[in-house]
Amino acid sequence: MTIPSLSDADFRDRYGPWALISGASEGTGAEFSLQAAAKGLNVILVARRADKLNELAERIRAEHKVEVHTVSLDLTAADAAVQLQEAAAGRDLGLVVFNAGGDSVGGPFLDKPYASWRTLTQRNIDLLTEACHAFGTAFVKRGRGGLILVGSEAALGGCGRLAIYTATKAYAMNFGESLWKELKPRGVDVLNLLIGATDTPKLRTVFAKNNLSPDVVPLTPSQEVARLGLNGLGHGPTLVLNALEELDNPLVSSTIRRERVEVQSKFLDNFYGPA
């Protein structure tokens, strides 16, 4: 499946001049930051590790000559969404990439205290919902913008040892598809980008910890994830990266998922009246 892309100038006009990327310190987040900067966007880099953010910021400034603002932030904090808004204050923000969302807990649901799982629901549901409401409202007022929700193929079904993770990713997918339908007529693009095993430093650390070879599963380069995400932003609501060629599979086909959202939304419009 070929995804047509905008020229860099058109991309800046639609989603610039500033982009905010969470989970930006390494892996896919760093690649989103680099590729957005390569298109000429100024970038706000958000992650916990200030040292990694500063290294990336220096590289972006040197290679792409754009403005860079860094924010060290724990996205599981109760006020993280407010801090994201404060990070963007005074800047003409046009693109937000929600990239942080891995499972840092893991294991069977009952084997951990609920407080441990609460960090996942706080970041993957509460933060996402509150931040999308704030940034979506701002984008609608300016008449343009984009939201990329980097999710996981885990959203497509449950899995033992990943109960909370799969549930939060399913929430994000359905939330993103609904936002796509509501915001696209108002000039704002929304994309769920569902990724599988991706070649990142974090995943390689997990492999090493468990004495596994990185070749045990096919890994998608993080550069490719970011490229397809930025190119696909106007082609939502959902792209499943490892299934772009499965055009007739209703679970993962971008076209079929889009048609389902349209049909369901039309039914509700007929039932309740247009929103």
Side-chain angles (χ1 to χ4, degrees), residues 161 202-213 216:
R161 301 178 63 87
K202 184 175 182 179
L203 184 57
R204 286 185 174 266
T205 298
V206 171
F207 282 159
K209 181 179 178 180
N210 292 281
N211 296 315
L212 295 172
S213 168
V216 69

Side-chain angles (χ1 to χ4, degrees), residues 142-167:
R142 75 202 290 266
R144 61 186 177 89
L147 300 167
I148 298 178
L149 283 55
V150 181
S152 168
E153 293 176 10
L156 301 171
C159 178
R161 301 178 63 87
L162 290 176
I164 298 298
Y165 181 70
T166 59

